[in-house]
Amino acid sequence: MAKNSAKIGVLLVNLGTPDSTKTGDVRKYLREFLMDGRVIDFPFIPRWMLVNLIIAPFRAPKSAGEYRKLWTDRGSPLLFHTQDLKEKLIKKLDPEKYLVAMAMRYQNPSIEKGLEELMKAKVKKIIVLPLFPQYASATNGSVIDRVMEIARTWQIIPEITFISNYVDHPLFLEAWTELGREAMQKHNYDKFLFSYHGLPERQIRKGSVEGYCQLGTCCNKYGLKNQFCYRAQCFQTTRLVAAKLGLPEDKVLTCFQSRLGKDPWIKPYTENTIKELAKEGVKKVLVFSPAFVADCLETTVEVGEEYKEQFEELGGEHWDLVPSLNSNDTWVDCVKDLVESRT
């Protein structure tokens, strides 16, 4: 490629993080995040009242304390792991062909800033990769929505390609397998738990094709009708990673965490699964969180600390968390392949 030829822009987008652990910054983040109509899919007025009068004022101080548990000298792990992924990807891709930028769906650096960086470089095409392996309207859909909202204000809109999910990409699965194998050296585990971020059941039903989703055994098979069902994709991720690790089927469990509010969320709940494991006398559990590609509040604190404490209080002996992909070399190769396959 000639040096003066237009490049292909790549925008990596993760969820987002407060600018600091100060309560005000956490409250600001929560407001932006939860006011997204794809996250809390209520009409604007009740959503505004719920977020601004109840959730943000009362949840922010507690959440700020949780963020302090994982904050490092480099700041938020989710942010710097995404930065590390970006830097490694830049080294893997042809610099004369690609320009890589990164953004957060909420807070900084913003999607608008990331797109502006690419457009100023006069790229001929933009590939947007939401860093959420399993498609959900509240994550991947929200990123796509925001990119389109910004792009529609441009006079010139280049070709834009979105990567919706990659639950069955061989290198994505291999990266988790590598980390799993390494973690499995610690103990002879009784059970292997795959804990994914939850969603309200109503959001799954909204995306159901021909009424296929029953929020039950329909997720035991993955095909045309549920290829964009978040719950089905999570179960498929579990099956594929467990198969590569050679895990016995009766030792593998899939569950969902991080509930918010009183409405029913997709099941089984991780908290309930922990109680059931304790009742069965299970002592050693290895946990995967394959909905997250970077360590964050939901992995490090919720799964790694809070659930560990709950399990041990109920008689468990070992609760170990497999780290997220972060900037694992095989994961970087996966991202490289995802990008190049869309070129």
Side-chain angles (χ1 to χ4, degrees), residues 122-327:
K122 300 178 177 61
V123 297
K124 62 181 179 181
K125 175 180 179 177
I126 297 174
I127 299 172
V128 180
L129 174 57
L131 295 172
F132 313 105
Q134 301 84 18
Y135 177 88
S137 173
T139 51
N140 310 59
S142 179
V143 170
I144 294 168
D145 204 10
R146 180 60 180 149
V147 169
M148 293 172 69
E149 181 183 12
I150 294 167
R152 74 182 180 211
T153 66
W154 298 341
Q155 188 65 32
I156 297 174
I157 302 177
E159 178 183 349
I160 301 177
T161 297
F162 298 100
I163 300 174
S164 293
N165 70 51
Y166 35 95
V167 296
D168 53 2
H169 192 287
L171 291 173
F172 169 71
L173 300 172
E174 182 57 33
W176 275 112
T177 303
E178 288 175 6
L179 294 170
R181 285 198 190 105
E182 184 177 349
M184 287 166 63
Q185 302 304 311
K186 295 179 183 178
H187 300 287
N188 183 19
Y189 292 97
D190 304 317
K191 295 286 184 179
F192 300 88
L193 201 65
F194 288 73
S195 182
Y196 299 82
H197 199 290
L199 285 177
E201 288 184 351
R202 66 176 182 274
Q203 292 188 9
I204 300 295
R205 290 196 176 94
K206 281 183 179 181
S208 178
V209 175
E210 298 174 2
Y212 182 81
C213 292
Q214 302 299 318
L215 295 166
T217 56
C218 52
C219 291
N220 291 346
K221 292 183 179 179
Y222 186 60
L224 289 176
K225 289 188 177 181
N226 63 1
Q227 62 181 321
F228 285 105
C229 169
Y230 175 76
R231 188 175 185 271
Q233 291 172 80
C234 291
F235 275 90
Q236 177 71 348
T237 303
T238 297
R239 285 191 292 268
L240 294 173
V241 174
K244 285 183 69 67
L245 285 168
L247 303 179
E249 207 171 299
D250 61 347
K251 287 191 174 186
V252 178
L253 297 164
T254 296
C255 49
F256 301 90
Q257 64 186 78
S258 309
R259 280 183 292 165
L260 177 65
K262 296 181 179 179
D263 288 348
W265 282 43
I266 52 178
K267 301 176 183 68
Y269 299 141
T270 302
E271 300 97 318
N272 293 350
T273 301
I274 292 171
K275 294 174 184 176
E276 291 169 7
L277 290 175
K279 286 181 181 178
E280 293 171 8
V282 172
K283 298 298 182 182
K284 300 175 184 178
V285 176
L286 183 63
V287 192
F288 295 76
S289 291
F292 305 93
V293 299
D295 282 320
C296 55
L297 192 69
E298 288 82 1
T299 60
T300 304
V301 176
E302 187 173 11
V303 177
E305 296 181 13
E306 294 176 1
Y307 289 158
K308 176 183 176 69
E309 182 179 343
Q310 181 182 344
F311 181 65
E312 290 177 347
E313 285 178 352
L314 293 170
E317 295 175 0
H318 294 286
W319 175 275
D320 296 321
L321 172 65
V322 178
S324 294
L325 301 181
N326 296 325
S327 58

Side-chain angles (χ1 to χ4, degrees), residues 56-118:
F58 295 101
R59 190 182 177 105
K62 180 182 178 183
S63 293
E66 299 298 295
Y67 276 109
R68 291 185 194 107
K69 294 178 182 178
L70 58 84
W71 220 257
T72 73
D73 292 341
R74 293 186 66 189
S76 166
L78 185 141
L79 180 61
F80 69 69
H81 284 310
T82 307
Q83 290 169 332
D84 291 346
L85 173 65
K86 171 192 166 183
E87 294 307 317
K88 281 193 172 184
L89 181 64
I90 289 172
K91 293 177 182 178
K92 293 269 188 178
L93 292 171
D94 183 347
E96 293 187 6
K97 188 174 182 180
Y98 296 97
L99 177 65
V100 183
M102 62 164 277
M104 296 287 141
R105 174 59 185 90
Y106 311 104
Q107 295 298 286
N108 300 302
S110 67
I111 290 178
E112 189 169 17
K113 184 177 179 181
L115 290 173
E116 183 180 331
E117 178 184 340
L118 297 178

